[in-house]
Amino acid sequence: VATVAEPAHAATSVTINGASGGRTFDGVGAISGGGGNSRLLIDYPEPERGQILDYLFRPGYGASLQILKTEIGGDTNSTSGAEPSHEHTRGDLNCNRGYEWWLMEQAKARNPAIKLYGLAWGAPGWIGNGNFWSTDMINYLVSWLGCAKQHGLTIDYLGGWNERGYNVSWYEQLRSALNSNGYGGVKIVAADSDWTVAGDVDSNPAFASSVDIIGTHYPCGYRSAQTTCTVPSSATSSGKQLWASENGSDDYNAGANAMARGINRGYIDGKMTAYLNWPVVAAVTPNLPYPTMGLALTPEPWSGSYTIGKNAWVMAQTSQFTAPGWQYLDSSSGYIGGNRGNGSYVSLKSTNKSDYSTVIETMDAGAAQTLNFNVTGGLSTGTVHVWSTNVNSANPADYFVHAADITPANGSFSLTVQPGRVYTVTTTTGQGKGTAAGPARGAMSLPYSDSFDSDAAGTEAKYLMDWQGAFEVASCGGGRTGMCVRQMSAQAPITWDPLTDPHTLLGDLSWGNYTVSSDVLLEKSGYAELLGRANTQSYSGAAGLNAYHLRVSDTGAWSILSSNTSGNVTTLAHGTTSALGTNRWHTLSLAFSGSTITASVDGAAVGSAADYGYAAGQVGYATSQGETAQFDNLAITPGP
Ligand code: 147
């Protein structure tokens, strides 16, 4: 048996001192929204859906989020999709739209202590005649809080406009509106943008009294381009809690290094007391922007397949060992040996004043190091439990591993830390690593059809992923009974991302030769479209989509179009059929066979085109801007 000599580790002393000062910890968590990234989660079958939710929210099981931030939908694209508004048109209040209420309820059911935070990216165009910083928008947020109350949800934090700066008097008006409507306990975050707001909060007492938390995005650098987590002196001197109110934007596995650094270093460098990862899950198909970002990959409700990411376990290294309200111990937090390259550690003490946890990350270390801990200041000198995640490993068995307990001697103990890992040493118990696992990946099979008749009004039809506008289940018009899908955005929204026509996508990117058909009703003059072979969706520039379209307008004008990600639209064929008119049902179909594309209206072929630019892709619906068209009886059959 060969003997390997133990390397001589550099040793560093760390005192975990319960008498140290430090800020109150607010929590780590993630963002559902900004947007559409959670869309397919609600369509997962059980038991997989419940397993994913357990991995996200159940204490002592997985990521165990302490804060869930959700989008306040605005019927407009907010990155990877559009999320529905609770008030599409003035007065049309419905508190059961979309999936964010459901997600918040599922989170609270698993962890009643989870904090909830709402933020808008965009808004329906009726608000303030297109002006976000309006009284309409304040009333809209108060209505949203009322909806939350109907759902039995208490909202802890509310923001303004994601990454669009701030308006001082609007925030002051928001504070007074919340107070006078019974929401005095809701804390306001400003401005979910950069640090500019800190100067005004620091210098303007009236503004300062309207803002509870200064929340900044990517304060340690965007994605993996991290340097120091910087905060301006105005932020520190404002006395406000400081948050990294959005961070991450990285792959569900590859983002783990950045998260490990960011959670610790945000506090060490900048006294930031919350870290919110964007987004919570990747529940979108792979043709949409940021398809693998989040804590888990959940893109296939039809197969039930899901994968919990390394990010979830790195977050667990903090969340399972702390709680909002714990206190950082400043003199027991810093860089190992004072050198950023060695890694970092932060210590927090429990509200019971005895328990503590220290989270250590060695993302940039080049060698093993020995840490000699000394526990003092009234903290427990009892058994120390050790959990670790090997962030350099691709094997999930190396994440969130419970190592042997340590019994301190006279309050002292040692731990050797390897490079590229996160360790948590703690006197708390109750941690755990869930064991549920989903099935293998699999394509969505054809034929597929949906009459929408079993769906509840206000919900999103199964698998339909809105990109722009809001395609929602509603009672059919035009004298038809049953349920249909209706595009609910009646005018151009206040955008966050580039404005496009309302459209929504469904299905598998591998679908090649197929016929998609649907009944369509136009409520006013304009057009409706069936999309086919839709694949890459761009989110910058013109936010174009690679797809074929059959566009038919109320006048009877039809066209077969090819669009691309640059926003270019080419007419492949066009003509006129008998006028569709309004409030009448018609049937459209679009068939793909190799390079032949055939369009039909009411069962008769109107034209065809030869093009093979796109060989496969999803189906979809689209409308002209503001057209509240209805759709029914979606059917996709293989072959022409
Ligand atoms: C954020 C948005 O708030 C999210 O909705 C999502 O779009 C996310 C994707 O990374 O990005 O906005 C940012 C976009 C770019 C930077 C920072 C935030 N950036 O380049 O520093």
Side-chain angles (χ1 to χ4, degrees), residues 33-35 78-79 121 162-163 217-218 221-223 246 248-249 278 290 496-497:
S78 52
T79 296
W121 267 250
N162 183 68
E163 294 182 354
H217 288 192
Y218 304 89
Y222 185 55
R223 301 181 63 180
E246 185 181 311
S249 280
W278 184 89
Y290 304 101
W496 188 78
D497 258 353

Side-chain angles (χ1 to χ4, degrees), residues 228-471:
T228 306
C229 310
T230 50
V231 306
S233 57
S234 57
T236 316
S237 73
S238 74
K240 299 296 180 187
Q241 291 290 87
L242 309 177
W243 286 11
S245 57
E246 185 181 311
N247 230 327
S249 280
D250 230 326
D251 178 82
Y252 71 118
N253 285 319
N257 303 68
M259 184 187 289
R261 287 189 200 94
I263 291 174
N264 273 16
R265 299 178 184 206
Y267 187 74
I268 297 166
D269 293 349
K271 296 280 183 283
M272 285 174 271
T273 58
Y275 181 106
L276 294 176
N277 193 69
W278 184 89
V280 59
V281 287
V284 292
T285 50
N287 53 318
L288 298 185
Y290 304 101
T292 68
M293 281 30 177
L295 305 175
L297 188 63
T298 62
E300 270 186 6
W302 39 86
S303 72
S305 182
Y306 67 88
T307 313
I308 303 304
K310 208 188 293 185
N311 291 0
W313 301 112
V314 163
M315 185 162 281
Q317 293 277 164
T318 294
S319 61
Q320 289 205 19
F321 302 89
T322 58
W326 279 40
Q327 188 219 308
Y328 280 102
L329 303 171
D330 285 358
S331 70
S332 313
S333 303
Y335 290 95
I336 298 172
N339 181 344
R340 297 178 73 89
N342 292 342
S344 70
Y345 57 96
V346 295
S347 301
L348 300 102
K349 94 174 157 178
S350 165
T351 47
N352 70 19
K353 313 278 188 222
S354 170
D355 282 314
Y356 67 88
S357 297
T358 299
V359 184
I360 304 139
E361 59 83 14
T362 56
M363 292 307 100
D364 303 317
Q369 304 169 85
T370 295
L371 303 177
N372 296 318
F373 291 97
N374 183 37
V375 182
T376 109
L379 296 174
S380 164
T381 53
T383 304
V384 173
H385 313 286
V386 183
W387 292 73
S388 73
T389 292
N390 183 350
V391 182
N392 288 340
S393 172
N395 181 359
D398 296 331
Y399 312 153
F400 212 67
V401 176
H402 190 180
D405 287 351
I406 300 173
T407 305
N410 298 319
S412 297
F413 66 96
S414 291
L415 180 74
T416 296
V417 296
Q418 302 298 327
R421 304 206 185 183
V422 183
Y423 296 83
T424 310
V425 294
T426 186
T427 55
T428 66
T429 54
Q431 293 77 22
K433 184 181 185 184
T435 55
R441 298 288 292 258
M444 183 177 162
S445 61
L446 292 180
Y448 180 80
S449 66
D450 197 343
S451 69
F452 312 120
D453 287 334
S454 50
D455 295 343
T459 61
E460 283 160 278
K462 191 174 174 184
Y463 303 158
L464 209 51
M465 306 181 295
D466 295 352
W467 177 262
Q468 186 75 253
F471 292 77

